[in-house]
Amino acid sequence: MAATVLTSLSTSPMVLHPSSAPTVPEPAARAWKEVLSASYSSSTSGNWSWDASDQSVPSTPSPPLSNDNNKNFLLSSQGDDVSEDVTESTHFMFEDPIPRKRKNSMKVMFKCLWKNCEKVLSTSSGIQRHVRTVHLGRNSDSDYSDGEEDFYYSEIEVNMDSLTEGLSSLTPTSPTTAGPPPVFPPPFTDVPHSEHINMNGSQSHAPTLLSQSAPSTLCHIRTDHAYQATAPVSIPVGPELAGLGSGNGTGPGIGTGNGISVSWQKPRGEAKKCRKVYGMEKRDMWCTACRWKKACQRFTD
DNA sequence: TTTGCCGGGTT
DNA sequence: AACCCGGCAAA
């Protein structure tokens, strides 16, 4: 483990400029667990030098990357409060390869993108655990983290000075009103691997709702997979709770039983299902229903 | 064409 | 039960 850290530390800082490096914590080690296909995901240790030259290498053997064994730190602290562990002692892989080069008022945080959940943790493993236990309904003991949790959170970067409510200003709708959730990551982030839109208030006056009341919060939204933009916001309800979706033997959409008869058509739900999200490869991380070609039960409509 | 999944199979 | 797949309809 430590060896990987050292290698990543030693190799990285020479490529990018030391002064104006956009240094974003690169999810290099999160290159899933399988190296099969995923032609572009040759993002290995350090930074990936902006896809200039690693196309020549057919497929980098991709370092050991045992995905997360850092659970034993987090088992005891049950509450997932905001300040879980700010120190970087816990993880080695998800953090920035360049140690502490940040502008000393910037901080990366991880924001849960679930429907009404606005939890913001400071570590990726923390938010993965939050998503896994709270939303995905996984048991907290069996960690078994596929990449699935990555779809439900995004990495933001905020100024610490305006952290008073700077984070909550990122959520345009107040948590009380049940307004439709905004399209959180703007849709022009469809580039395959991580891009960073820098909506500072300077030149590109992004009319987006975020960064509205806090003009000094330049926020980066990392899009790890291409589908992260739409997947979390279009999930109406957690997979476990979705049992009440139309939980009746009635045909496609005639809710009977009482006076109200809501006949919602089944207009081919819009939420991307496991097949589309994960792709035909990586089929083994679909939900079981999708694998059996049944109605998806992870991304319900 | 692809994608979601019902109905109906087999293990 | 769990596990598949033909085939259909919607996009």
Side-chain angles (χ1 to χ4, degrees):
Chain A
M1 291 314 172
T4 50
V5 176
L6 290 179
T7 52
S8 67
L9 284 179
S10 62
T11 55
S12 55
M14 62 180 65
V15 188
L16 39 86
H17 286 258
S19 63
S20 72
T23 98
V24 178
E26 165 49 40
R30 193 186 307 166
W32 307 80
K33 53 184 182 301
E34 335 196 42
V35 203
L36 51 89
S37 74
S39 59
Y40 53 83
S41 77
S42 66
S43 70
T44 54
S45 67
N47 65 343
W48 47 10
S49 75
W50 272 99
D51 64 16
S53 68
D54 39 49
Q55 170 226 293
S56 62
V57 183
S59 67
T60 50
S62 97
L65 57 89
S66 68
N67 210 335
D68 54 352
N69 312 344
N70 46 9
K71 62 171 186 293
N72 43 8
F73 288 94
L74 313 170
L75 279 180
S76 59
S77 72
Q78 44 88 25
D80 37 7
D81 44 359
V82 179
S83 68
E84 187 147 6
D85 47 351
V86 189
T87 59
E88 69 279 10
S89 65
T90 311
H91 9 275
F92 25 81
M93 49 190 73
F94 296 142
E95 287 304 313
D96 199 339
I98 296 112
R100 290 291 169 267
K101 186 153 275 205
R102 190 139 281 134
K103 281 287 190 56
N104 85 2
S105 67
M106 291 300 188
K107 182 148 189 57
V108 267
M109 303 200 83
F110 298 89
K111 181 182 195 312
C112 180
L113 289 177
W114 202 269
K115 179 70 176 303
N116 284 326
C117 183
E118 298 297 336
K119 191 158 284 296
V120 175
L121 297 181
S122 60
T123 64
S124 65
S125 61
I127 198 112
Q128 277 185 0
R129 196 172 55 90
H130 161 80
V131 164
R132 186 165 58 239
T133 59
V134 177
H135 299 310
L136 288 180
R138 296 255 164 80
N139 280 330
S140 60
D141 50 351
S142 71
D143 45 357
Y144 172 63
S145 86
D146 299 337
E148 306 180 20
E149 299 89 0
D150 292 338
F151 288 100
Y152 304 118
Y153 69 90
S154 81
E155 176 179 317
I156 62 176
E157 183 168 341
V158 292
N159 264 335
M160 279 310 265
D161 48 35
S162 70
L163 194 63
T164 58
E165 280 308 310
L167 289 174
S168 71
S169 74
L170 289 177
T171 76
T173 57
S174 71
T176 61
T177 63
V183 189
F184 194 24
F188 46 79
T189 25
D190 273 345
V191 280
H193 29 248
S194 73
E195 285 303 306
H196 310 276
I197 40 171
N198 178 1
M199 42 182 68
N200 206 343
S202 58
Q203 71 273 23
S204 71
H205 65 293
T208 327
L209 294 145
L210 26 105
S211 82
Q212 180 183 11
S213 64
S216 71
T217 28
L218 74 91
C219 65
H220 292 174
I221 294 174
R222 201 240 307 143
T223 310
D224 204 355
H225 330 82
Y227 300 102
Q228 194 188 18
T230 59
V233 292
S234 62
I235 296 167
V237 57
E240 308 302 325
L241 311 174
L244 55 90
S246 74
N248 42 13
T250 325
I254 308 139
T256 54
N258 50 10
I260 315 158
S261 75
V262 180
S263 87
W264 66 343
Q265 208 53 255
K266 199 183 79 175
R268 174 97 318 163
E270 194 270 336
K272 292 188 174 57
K273 303 296 166 60
C274 294
R275 175 174 180 168
K276 201 138 169 209
V277 169
Y278 298 109
M280 211 43 167
E281 67 279 349
K282 292 190 294 225
R283 177 178 168 159
D284 49 84
M285 55 172 69
W286 296 3
C287 68
T288 44
C290 277
R291 260 181 293 151
W292 317 148
K293 291 167 82 171
K294 291 288 190 263
C296 177
Q297 57 186 354
R298 179 175 303 164
F299 305 107
T300 56
D301 307 313

